[in-house]
Amino acid sequence: FKYFAKYSFQNANLIRSISEFTEEQVKAFGYKGTFVRFPAWINIDNYLNADIKRSNKDPYQIIFVGSITDRKNPKIIVESLEMIDKNFSLELIGQTPNINYLKELKKIISQSKHSRKIVLTPFLSQEQLIAKYSYANLFILPSKSEGLGRVIIEAQATACPVLISSDTGMSDLIIENETGFIFKNNDPQDLAKSLNVSLSTIDRRLKELPHYKWGNKPQSRVVFVAREVRDYFDSNYSVNKKRESQ
């Protein structure tokens, strides 16, 4: 595969990428041409116009959205929460293409001291998913490998704080401690540490931050930053935005 990839990249003159991370991966094969960066299409207006209903009241609502697979790594969330004793709920939302992984995940959940707080939900409609983002206090995507992570943009557009794994394309979308949080890739202890901080402080900080107006509604600065995602998306991910390989 590496030989084929190297040959293909070195003989290409234009490559579509979805993040700076994926561009660096391609450059490692010797590519010196131009990149056009744009991810899969998102109807972002539906998320920006969501009716936000999250609150500071218990339980603290955590969600994961993605396929239930080893690469997306939802098991690490359950493992990390074993190190935490706080009032929360966890909903793992997504399709289950890998039956063996699903069995392993269900076994871990059944053995967890928090088993009654954890729910597995099949893939939802866009309307249902927007509602989940709107209620959630924290969105986690702990992928071992990820080109960008469209669901992060969806969560941010509803002003839901996000927590992601390091060393992936997801980092393109995060300003640490402002538009999201990052933990060490595939490290349950570091994820538990980040979760502990999140459960203890995120809602308090949201409440204390200065407010701005978005349309006719007052919004916290986190909401204000999240709703700038459209401008960021348009300026960084466009078929008209070409980048020369350095």
Side-chain angles (χ1 to χ4, degrees):
F1 172 79
K2 288 185 177 180
Y3 176 81
F4 177 75
K6 183 176 181 179
Y7 176 83
S8 299
F9 291 144
Q10 290 182 349
N11 286 276
N13 54 24
L14 182 65
I15 290 179
R16 174 214 169 185
S17 67
I18 58 175
S19 64
E20 183 178 352
F21 181 80
T22 55
E23 289 170 9
E24 292 302 318
Q25 288 180 313
V26 172
K27 289 177 186 177
F29 285 96
Y31 178 69
K32 299 186 183 300
T34 301
F35 291 99
V36 175
R37 188 187 299 181
F38 66 100
W41 181 81
I42 301 172
N43 188 353
I44 203 168
D45 287 336
N46 291 341
Y47 296 88
L48 288 168
N49 294 323
D51 184 14
I52 310 300
K53 295 188 176 181
R54 71 181 53 90
S55 75
N56 297 331
K57 296 179 180 179
D58 289 338
Y60 189 91
Q61 298 185 48
I62 305 169
I63 63 169
F64 159 93
V65 179
S67 59
I68 306 300
T69 59
D70 182 66
R71 183 175 70 83
K72 295 289 185 178
N73 205 19
K75 281 196 300 186
I76 196 175
I77 305 176
V78 180
E79 293 167 349
S80 298
L81 287 169
E82 283 297 289
M83 308 175 206
I84 292 173
D85 290 301
K86 285 189 167 69
N87 191 11
F88 68 87
S89 66
L90 170 63
E91 187 167 7
L92 304 172
I93 303 168
Q95 296 174 322
T96 55
N98 188 326
I99 300 302
N100 289 333
Y101 186 87
L102 177 61
K103 288 180 180 178
E104 293 174 12
L105 177 61
K106 285 183 175 180
K107 182 178 179 181
I108 291 173
I109 292 173
S110 68
Q111 295 172 344
S112 169
K113 64 183 179 182
H114 300 304
S115 59
R116 294 185 179 182
K117 302 177 182 179
I118 303 171
V119 176
L120 279 165
T121 301
F123 188 78
L124 300 175
S125 68
Q126 186 184 77
E127 182 179 351
Q128 292 171 316
L129 187 56
I130 290 172
K132 294 291 185 182
Y133 286 130
S134 300
Y135 276 97
N137 297 101
L138 183 67
F139 168 80
I140 306 177
L141 190 60
S143 303
K144 295 177 181 178
S145 173
E146 194 74 56
L148 183 67
R150 180 170 58 177
V151 287
I152 296 171
I153 299 173
E154 294 172 355
Q156 287 178 322
T158 67
C160 180
V162 300
L163 174 58
I164 64 161
S165 47
S166 64
D167 304 319
T168 66
M170 297 184 286
S171 298
D172 274 24
L173 301 171
I174 303 300
I175 301 171
E176 181 73 24
N177 296 317
E178 187 171 339
T179 61
F181 308 89
I182 302 173
F183 73 95
K184 187 176 179 181
N185 197 312
N186 205 31
D187 186 328
Q189 286 76 27
D190 198 51
L191 176 54
K193 180 180 176 181
S194 296
L195 281 168
N196 219 2
V197 172
S198 299
L199 269 78
S200 302
T201 65
I202 282 182
D203 285 333
R204 175 178 57 77
R205 291 207 306 266
L206 283 173
K207 192 173 181 180
E208 292 174 354
L209 286 167
H211 282 68
Y212 295 78
K213 276 198 170 182
W214 180 267
N216 295 320
K217 297 180 180 180
Q219 303 285 358
S220 74
R221 176 162 175 75
V222 173
V223 176
F224 182 78
V225 171
R227 288 177 180 269
E228 286 182 312
V229 70
R230 184 212 304 272
D231 294 336
Y232 177 82
F233 185 83
D234 288 343
S235 62
N236 286 275
Y237 302 93
S238 168
V239 293
N240 299 315
K241 195 82 173 179
K242 294 185 179 181
R243 290 170 174 76
E244 299 295 332
S245 179
Q246 301 297 322

